[in-house]
Amino acid sequence: DKWQRRISNPELPIDWNGQTQESLLFMGQRMLETYYSSNNPKDHFVAIEHPFSVSIEHPVAGLPLTMNDQPLQLVGSIDALVKVYNGTEQIILRELKTSSKMWSQIQADESLQATLYAYVMKKLGLCASLNTIVTVQFEILTKAKSPRFEVISTARTQAQIDGAIIDLFDAC
């Protein structure tokens, strides 16, 4: 099998970070079991690993962010887009994170990644309107003997998104 050949190749040594292949494989299996048992089978996934490339534009001036006179693109992939119904239909962005410990709500609320994802959702037209508050859910799966799974939601307003983009312009 491909995995066995890879880990057995002496020309490509693997740093197991003080653990064994078996202990890491066992932990990975428990993490996957925890993740799959925690998900709601009624979730309607719109996209998984959704690639994106969007221009970064000043929210007031409308000018693109440039470097060496070249417009910069924000490029990446969204882990999952899920359609939910809680009074109205909404698309929620989910980002899976593995971590040695659980996140705090403050960590999610201060995440620049969540703000930039909200910007991307608006640029891609995945929000009902420009004034829509964008929800990002961080799915945190701990790397431990007994893995834990927790979903931490955070939201971004248009003002928060604009502020972060203006900060990017100021930094460049």
Side-chain angles (χ1 to χ4, degrees):
D1 114 285
K2 202 174 195 180
W3 170 247
Q4 275 309 119
R5 285 192 311 271
R6 167 57 185 95
I7 64 173
S8 301
N9 185 342
E11 294 177 17
L12 299 171
I14 297 174
D15 178 4
W16 298 103
N17 200 21
Q19 299 190 46
T20 66
Q21 168 193 345
E22 292 78 19
S23 69
L24 289 172
L25 182 60
F26 186 65
M27 180 176 55
Q29 289 170 330
R30 286 193 317 262
M31 288 173 71
L32 284 171
E33 289 166 1
T34 300
Y35 177 74
Y36 284 115
S37 68
S38 300
N39 275 291
N40 184 348
K42 293 181 181 177
D43 287 346
H44 177 78
F45 286 85
V46 176
I48 296 175
E49 288 301 318
H50 184 72
F52 64 83
S53 178
V54 299
S55 60
I56 304 170
E57 297 170 0
H58 194 281
V60 178
L63 300 171
L65 181 62
T66 61
M67 184 174 283
N68 299 325
D69 294 325
Q70 296 298 313
L72 293 177
Q73 293 285 106
L74 188 57
V75 179
S77 179
I78 296 169
D79 286 352
L81 293 170
V82 182
K83 189 181 294 186
V84 296
Y85 302 93
N86 46 2
T88 61
E89 182 180 294
Q90 183 183 12
I91 302 289
I92 292 178
L93 185 145
R94 288 192 182 157
E95 173 69 12
L96 177 62
K97 298 285 189 192
T98 58
S99 178
S100 59
K101 61 182 181 176
M102 290 312 265
W103 278 30
S104 67
Q105 183 65 51
I106 291 170
Q107 196 171 356
D109 290 342
E110 293 179 351
S111 168
L112 178 59
Q113 183 181 25
T115 307
L116 292 177
Y117 271 144
Y119 177 79
V120 168
M121 296 243 333
K122 298 227 177 187
K123 290 288 283 184
L124 296 177
L126 296 171
C127 298
S129 75
L130 283 180
N131 294 323
T132 300
I133 294 173
V134 179
T135 300
V136 175
Q137 292 181 335
F138 288 104
E139 298 180 320
I140 312 300
L141 184 59
T142 60
K143 298 181 266 189
K145 288 182 181 178
S146 297
R148 287 182 41 218
F149 179 80
E150 186 174 353
V151 177
I152 300 177
S153 293
T154 187
R156 296 295 184 273
T157 64
Q158 188 64 49
Q160 290 170 308
I161 296 166
D162 290 349
I165 299 302
I166 290 169
D167 288 348
L168 282 176
F169 271 82
D170 291 346
C172 293

